[in-house]
Amino acid sequence: MTYKNFTLDIDADGIALVTWDMPGKSMNVFDASVMDDLEAIIARVTEDAAIKGAVVTSGKDTFSGGADLTMLQGLLGEFHRMRAAAKSEEDETAAMQRMFDESRRMSQLWRRLETCGKPWVAAINGTAMGGALELALSCHHRVAADNDKTRLALPEVKVGLFPGAGGTQRVPRMIPTPDALQFLLQGRELRVGQAKSMRLIDQVVPADALVETAKAWIRDGGKGVQPWDKDGFKLPGGKVYSPAGFQIFPPANAIYRRETFDNYPAARAIMSCVYEGLMLPMDQALTVESRYFANVLQTKEAASMIRSLFVSMQELNKGARRPADVPAEPIRKVGILGAGFMGAGVAYVTARAGIDVVLIDRDIEAAERGKAYSDTLVSKAVSRGRSTPEAKEALLSRIRTTTDYADLEGCDLIVEAVFEDKDIKADVTQKAEAVIGKSAIFGSNTSTLPITELAKASARPKNFIGIHFFSPVDKMMLVEIIMGKKTSDEALARALDYCRAIRKTPIVVNDSRGFYTSRVVGTYIREGHLMLMEGVPAAMIENLGRMAGMPVGPLALNDEVAVDLAWKILQATRKDLGDTAVDPAQETLLEEMVVKRGRLGRKNGKGFYDYPDKGKKHLWPDLAELQPVHLDPDLIDKEELEHRLLAIQALETARCFAEGVLTDVREADVGSILGFGYAPFAGGTLSYIDNMGLKAFVEMCNKLARKHGPRFRPNKLLKEMAANGETFYGRFPPGKPERRQAA
């Protein structure tokens, strides 16, 4: 029998080598055809008396990236269609049963494999993610090739799901329960050495000995039975109801709630699956896991996170917004103007991608300090075993420091990262353009200054574009690409090619004050300021920000971006737009913080928080002195505060969309999560509105506007969509931008 995605070869010892090599794909992933093949292969190995055991490996550089989540999207879509068409209780039950059966198909296949009576060995020749690692865990022995690039993980929780093909049951039967919970809840990636020390992998061998080592284990008497299927099996972490168990689950539950605020159904399900499953035999435990998985799959959180953090992000990373008619050209050399914190970070990620860098500053000492930042980062990677001394030297050799603009000759792209001052940026723009070639692209790394205005200093505005990085550059995944009024498709294509080369996720927005990300995050910070001036305790503001789903409270975030920057932006807004554009309560607070008290944020060790040399940061004790009134915390509507913090950001996103600053719903959602950490469980700012329903969202905003002012008034687009029963993803399908330029 032939298989679409696998080959099966039986050697003289009766050992079947099952090689997974999907045609036309760079990486193996699970889809319906793979599942069909594996079902047939497992049956063949089980039933063929000539086969003594099986080794499963990959014919590609990696083992597998896991499941194609669009398969689950399709399953969920079919379920909703069946439910919508249901005319009786029996039809409803049939829809539910199909959902349950299909969502647990992989789980049942892996159980069939591990109980077939014949030994299976996973020969892991590269990265194994999600369902692929669950396949390996269901095998009776696991051998991995010694490859520092290999990563092993069950990362489903990061996209709103959990390992539903036995992961929540096999992992805590292989390693102590606290380690298992941490691994499952964090979705963290392991190197092969780490996986072996945790006993998730049995052997690590040279790549050329991988398959032979796997076969040898079968030839030497390896048995086709799992430890948990043998009499007398003892859980490595002890029973749930035991002294050991009593020390695990209560604190684990407290940590889970502290970290998630119970916003993530998948994380909650992991806790329940492990807790309940460890009290049951394996088959019943897997049924429990499957029930939780089918339930989580139907949640709006899972649907939103899969769409934004998997499907949309993949599409953007692959160039969904790249002009198709512009031929691709490699970025070989990048000039970076300014070796401060941002410029140094851009230099590092660019050199890490194998691109030559020219790093310019006013004096060579400043430029060298910028290069030293790369040295620090890569040296840390070497010390942790994540890089090699040779790779370090190669990376640093790509960064050339200078003060001479003539050294920019031959650069394909310039990234300007100097101080946020229009005149300074104009000066370096003209100096660079006097040297670089006519086809070179000039990108300004600015978070607020309009690109069209900055481009006036350029002799070639068609080649001028905004490339807004986020701090710290080496960790933040997002890059905001800003189109000026004269920016060409060629400049856009080159900027997107650069983002792909340095492995960042790009969003494309049109020009406006603050663009998208800075404009929206500013509303979150402002809302925290206004709550403080209303008399809400600072600790409550910060805690409710995190409870709403944000990574930090608005006051902590303001400290990170600098309190004096908020003051400068407020003053610039007054100058450009008039007094009515500034909230007097916010101005009073910032003037007191910055002008009168010199509290500038983390950068000078004092802002809304104090930052002691030793110990953790803490809220500034005298902050309450700045509040005109003090509200009784027991009488404050905490849910309303959470709604304010999330709704104000979603409202501003809707305004950006209506004005044409944003033109693609995917970029709104992905940008909000990656750029400023907007409640990932919501799927992003527009998904938050869609999930609530436009009518309910507009009603909530109107209620907030009556109580807190016109900043909460829904715009015309929102009211129109609410009246028509529309959604953003329905009215503006992904990939079909409505407007080219901002209004």
Side-chain angles (χ1 to χ4, degrees):
M1 180 179 179
T2 58
Y3 307 97
K4 180 178 179 181
N5 306 287
F6 296 84
T7 58
L8 191 152
D9 298 299
I10 305 171
D11 67 14
D13 296 313
I15 300 173
L17 178 63
V18 180
T19 304
W20 187 3
D21 196 353
M22 297 182 76
K25 289 187 178 290
S26 59
M27 180 181 287
N28 294 321
V29 294
F30 290 103
D31 62 15
S33 68
V34 169
M35 302 299 288
D36 291 341
D37 282 352
L38 282 169
E39 189 166 18
I41 289 169
I42 293 169
R44 167 84 185 277
V45 171
T46 303
E47 297 163 6
D48 191 336
I51 298 178
K52 308 304 180 186
V55 173
V56 59
T57 192
S58 167
K60 301 187 185 297
D61 292 338
T62 58
F63 190 71
S64 168
D68 179 356
L69 294 186
T70 57
M71 177 174 65
L72 291 178
Q73 275 194 319
L75 172 62
L76 194 58
E78 180 189 7
F79 167 67
H80 288 311
R81 287 191 294 274
M82 289 180 69
R83 288 193 70 179
K87 297 180 179 179
S88 65
E89 187 175 331
E90 289 77 12
D91 291 342
E92 182 88 9
T93 301
M96 293 294 294
Q97 187 65 51
R98 177 162 175 76
M99 159 67 80
F100 179 69
D101 291 342
E102 288 299 314
S103 65
R104 72 181 308 216
R105 185 184 181 193
M106 187 181 290
S107 177
Q108 290 185 305
L109 274 179
W110 298 171
R111 185 58 176 160
R112 207 174 302 160
L113 178 153
E114 73 177 354
T115 59
C116 74
K118 296 179 181 179
W120 279 76
V121 182
I124 306 169
N125 62 311
T127 292
M129 294 284 176
L133 182 55
E134 289 178 293
L135 166 60
L137 297 179
S138 71
C139 291
H140 306 96
H141 194 72
R142 286 155 295 282
V143 185
D146 190 2
N147 183 346
D148 190 57
K149 293 183 179 179
T150 294
R151 298 292 182 270
L152 308 173
L154 297 173
E156 289 88 342
V157 72
K158 295 180 179 180
V159 290
L161 297 173
F162 69 88
T168 68
Q169 302 310 310
R170 293 188 179 92
V171 172
R173 284 169 169 79
M174 298 172 74
I175 64 177
T177 309
D179 296 336
L181 285 170
Q182 189 176 53
F183 180 57
L184 294 166
L185 286 166
Q186 292 180 350
R188 67 190 180 103
E189 297 181 359
L190 303 175
R191 288 175 166 77
V192 290
Q194 293 173 306
K196 185 176 185 298
S197 66
M198 289 175 65
R199 299 186 179 179
L200 293 174
I201 295 294
D202 298 301
Q203 291 178 268
V204 178
V205 300
D208 58 4
L210 180 66
V211 171
E212 177 54 33
T213 302
K215 287 186 173 184
W217 184 83
I218 297 174
R219 284 198 301 267
D220 293 343
K223 302 298 182 183
V225 60
Q226 296 282 25
W228 44 84
D229 288 323
K230 297 177 183 177
D231 292 337
F233 171 69
K234 293 183 178 180
L235 294 167
K239 294 181 178 179
V240 172
Y241 284 95
S242 70
F246 296 152
Q247 294 180 50
I248 294 171
F249 285 98
N253 187 59
I255 293 170
Y256 151 75
R257 289 186 175 273
R258 182 192 70 194
E259 296 300 318
T260 69
F261 294 98
D262 208 26
N263 284 322
Y264 296 85
R268 187 189 317 134
I270 288 173
M271 294 287 295
S272 297
C273 284
V274 174
Y275 177 79
E276 296 175 30
L278 291 183
M279 292 187 284
L280 297 169
M282 190 58 155
D283 287 306
Q284 290 175 271
L286 290 172
T287 299
V288 167
E289 179 191 72
S290 295
R291 287 173 176 163
Y292 277 109
F293 187 77
N295 179 267
V296 167
L297 187 59
Q298 298 174 56
T299 63
K300 62 184 180 182
E301 290 87 354
S304 298
M305 290 178 74
I306 290 171
R307 181 173 65 189
S308 294
L309 293 174
F310 181 78
V311 178
S312 294
M313 208 160 106
Q314 276 200 345
E315 291 169 351
L316 295 176
N317 285 337
K318 291 178 180 178
R321 292 299 310 278
R322 190 186 188 281
D325 57 346
V326 179
E329 292 183 27
I331 304 289
R332 297 187 178 90
K333 186 177 178 182
V334 174
I336 299 171
L337 315 184
F341 187 59
M342 290 298 288
V346 176
Y348 171 73
V349 298
T350 305
R352 186 177 61 183
I355 300 171
D356 289 335
V357 172
V358 178
L359 184 59
I360 288 187
D361 214 304
R362 288 175 297 180
D363 56 70
I364 196 64
E365 290 78 15
E368 285 293 336
R369 283 196 298 272
K371 182 174 181 177
Y373 180 75
S374 289
D375 194 339
T376 300
L377 291 177
V378 73
S379 295
K380 188 180 294 185
V382 171
S383 70
R384 294 176 177 176
R386 297 177 180 175
S387 187
T388 64
E390 295 77 18
K392 170 186 170 180
E393 290 306 313
L395 186 150
L396 294 176
S397 70
R398 296 188 196 105
I399 303 176
R400 177 184 179 184
T401 57
T402 184
T403 61
D404 189 352
Y405 279 76
D407 291 331
L408 295 175
E409 185 177 359
C411 284
D412 306 299
L413 171 71
I414 299 297
V415 177
E416 169 270 299
V418 300
F419 188 69
E420 286 283 276
D421 181 277
K422 178 183 171 184
D423 294 333
I424 295 174
K425 287 181 181 291
D427 179 57
V428 300
T429 299
Q430 290 161 2
K431 287 179 179 177
E433 286 189 348
V435 177
I436 60 177
K438 292 183 179 180
S439 63
I441 304 304
F442 192 100
S444 178
N445 175 52
T446 176
S447 60
T448 56
L449 300 177
I451 293 301
T452 302
E453 190 66 25
L454 293 178
K456 290 180 179 178
S458 171
R460 43 189 108 158
K462 289 185 178 180
N463 288 6
F464 199 99
I465 194 166
I467 303 179
H468 175 206
F469 286 90
F470 294 76
S471 181
V473 177
D474 60 294
K475 293 181 180 178
M476 297 296 284
M477 297 169 62
L478 188 73
V479 174
E480 186 176 32
I481 305 295
I482 306 106
M483 300 287 287
K485 287 187 177 179
K486 295 184 179 180
T487 303
S488 66
D489 280 352
E490 287 75 13
L492 173 59
R494 298 283 273 165
L496 291 174
D497 290 343
Y498 172 59
C499 289
R500 188 167 189 176
I502 62 175
R503 303 185 71 177
K504 299 292 184 184
T505 298
I507 61 169
V508 181
V509 304
N510 288 317
D511 203 9
S512 77
R513 172 183 289 275
F515 319 127
Y516 166 48
T517 55
S518 297
R519 177 171 161 179
V520 173
V521 80
T523 65
Y524 176 62
I525 291 172
R526 179 185 63 190
E527 206 61 29
H529 293 165
L530 297 181
M531 288 177 179
L532 192 68
M533 298 305 279
E534 290 167 14
V536 180
M540 178 177 284
I541 296 169
E542 296 295 87
N543 287 332
L544 287 171
R546 293 191 63 223
M547 290 172 69
M550 299 297 291
V552 295
L555 305 180
L557 182 58
N558 196 179
D559 272 6
E560 294 297 328
V561 300
V563 184
D564 60 327
L565 177 60
W567 170 251
K568 290 173 185 175
I569 291 173
L570 187 144
Q571 295 305 308
T573 301
R574 176 197 294 283
K575 179 181 178 182
D576 294 345
L577 303 179
D579 291 344
T580 57
V582 172
D583 192 295
Q586 184 185 28
E587 184 174 30
T588 298
L589 173 64
L590 290 176
E591 183 178 22
E592 186 71 34
M593 289 285 291
V594 176
V595 179
K596 297 180 180 179
R597 310 245 183 172
R599 302 189 68 86
L600 311 183
R602 180 184 278 275
K603 68 181 182 180
N604 78 330
K606 53 182 184 179
F608 291 101
Y609 286 75
D610 281 329
Y611 300 87
D613 293 334
K614 295 182 179 180
K616 295 183 178 180
K617 72 177 184 181
H618 54 81
L619 280 164
W620 176 35
D622 296 336
L623 192 55
E625 294 179 6
L626 275 57
Q627 295 179 282
V629 295
H630 298 93
L631 301 178
D632 182 346
D634 291 332
L635 301 179
I636 295 173
D637 186 338
K638 299 171 185 62
E639 185 178 49
E640 181 187 279
L641 295 186
E642 288 186 41
H643 285 161
R644 284 173 61 180
L645 291 170
L646 292 183
I648 197 68
Q649 297 178 77
L651 265 172
E652 195 65 24
T653 302
R655 291 171 185 140
C656 287
F657 209 83
E659 295 167 18
V661 176
L662 285 164
T663 60
D664 192 308
V665 289
R666 295 172 296 186
E667 292 172 318
D669 278 345
V670 172
S672 66
I673 296 173
L674 299 188
F676 46 91
Y678 186 87
F681 66 87
T685 44
L686 293 186
S687 285
Y688 171 80
I689 297 173
D690 277 0
N691 287 336
M692 184 180 292
L694 269 291
K695 183 178 179 181
F697 181 75
V698 166
E699 288 174 353
M700 180 182 73
C701 290
N702 282 330
K703 182 179 178 181
L704 291 173
R706 287 191 293 271
K707 186 173 181 180
H708 298 287
R711 67 183 181 279
F712 283 104
R713 286 177 187 161
N715 61 10
K716 180 181 177 182
L717 175 64
L718 284 169
K719 291 187 283 188
E720 178 185 307
M721 291 173 67
N724 295 334
E726 295 177 303
T727 64
F728 275 97
Y729 276 81
R731 178 164 173 171
F732 307 104
K736 296 182 179 180
E738 288 290 303
R739 291 160 287 274
R740 178 66 178 82
Q741 289 289 351

